[in-house]
Structures are given as structure tokens and as C-alpha cells.
Amino acid sequence: MKTLISKHWHLMLIGFVALIMGGFVLFYFQGSVSSFPANQSQQAQEDPDKTKYEIVTVGVKGDGFYPKNIEVKAGVPTKINFKKMTSFTCIDEVQSLKIGMDVYLDHENNYFTVKDLKPGVYEYNCGMYMYYGTITVK
């Protein structure tokens, strides 16, 4: 006489695998934000020293920077906010030797200030040189 388990072991295995995969999917996406605006958000902000800054937001996701290219105005002080969109990313640092950027990324908002960039294109990358982005100064 066959037991219930020996008759339906394959169905139980499929159910167990589905349960594990569902748990993984929930765990993987728990820290992610579902969307990020396609265009970069810019707004003026004033610091206590009365300097006005433009703010540009770059989304940091598991597969890179969004948008990959940002534009800033030459001579206009700008704060670049590297906003972590998920806690499940290997990107924990953003750097650029040309402009002296070395930002360790905490949760969500991480600002880097650029003041006197000359017109041109400046590349930045994650700490492991896997993901790249550019800052275009016009």
C-alpha cells in the first residue's frame, strides 16, 4: 500500500520550490521603488550661506544609474543626488577622478556638490567600475 507522500511526492516538490521562489522574489524586491521619473528632477534650493543650487537626481538601481547622462549648466552650483532606489544593489560608491567625486552611498539620498565645472563631459562610475554615467556641462 502506497502512502500519500510516495504517491504525490512530485506535487509536493513543485509546491515547495514555488514557495521558495516566491519568498526569494518578495525578499529581492522588498527594498525597491517601483518607478523613477524618466526625466531628471531639477529644482533650485538655497543653502544657509545663501548660495542657490540646482539639484539633479540620479537613480541608483541594481543595474546602474538612471538617467545615465545628466546635464548641468556651467557656472551654476549643482548638487547631484545619487538616490538609492533599492537596497539590493552592489553599487555602494560613486567616484570620478576628474572632478574629485568619491561618494559612499547610504540609504536613499546622497549629495555631491559641483561648483566650477568647465563645459565638457565628465564620466563617473561605481566603486567596482561596473556601471558608468556621465555629467554633461553646457
Side-chain angles (χ1 to χ4, degrees):
M1 176 175 211
K2 289 187 175 182
T3 65
L4 185 62
I5 293 174
S6 64
K7 278 182 156 178
H8 300 290
W9 67 269
H10 59 284
L11 295 176
M12 291 175 58
L13 180 63
I14 290 171
F16 181 71
V17 169
L19 183 65
I20 296 296
M21 289 178 65
F24 175 76
V25 167
L26 286 175
F27 175 76
Y28 184 78
F29 291 107
Q30 95 183 19
S32 66
V33 176
S34 59
S35 65
F36 185 73
N39 57 352
Q40 60 199 27
S41 63
Q42 291 191 346
Q43 59 195 43
Q45 176 182 336
E46 192 172 292
D47 266 1
D49 65 354
K50 302 296 182 199
T51 303
K52 289 196 179 208
Y53 292 92
E54 290 288 323
I55 297 178
V56 179
T57 301
V58 176
V60 179
K61 296 185 177 182
D63 59 347
F65 303 105
Y66 295 93
K68 293 194 182 306
N69 179 56
I70 57 172
E71 292 183 3
V72 300
K73 298 173 192 159
V76 177
T78 303
K79 290 186 178 191
I80 303 171
N81 179 15
F82 291 97
K83 184 175 180 92
K84 281 186 103 169
M85 306 303 289
T86 179
S87 57
F88 296 100
T89 178
C90 68
I91 302 173
D92 61 359
E93 183 180 11
V94 180
Q95 56 191 16
S96 173
L97 294 176
K98 269 185 141 177
I99 60 175
M101 178 192 304
D102 190 10
V103 180
Y104 177 77
L105 301 181
D106 286 326
H107 307 294
E108 294 198 11
N109 298 311
N110 304 278
Y111 293 94
F112 178 77
T113 303
V114 292
K115 291 185 179 179
D116 299 325
L117 291 181
K118 306 287 185 240
V121 177
Y122 301 87
E123 191 172 86
Y124 61 89
N125 54 272
C126 72
M128 294 176 21
Y129 297 92
M130 292 176 58
Y131 301 106
Y132 292 85
T134 56
I135 302 167
T136 302
V137 182
K138 291 186 176 191

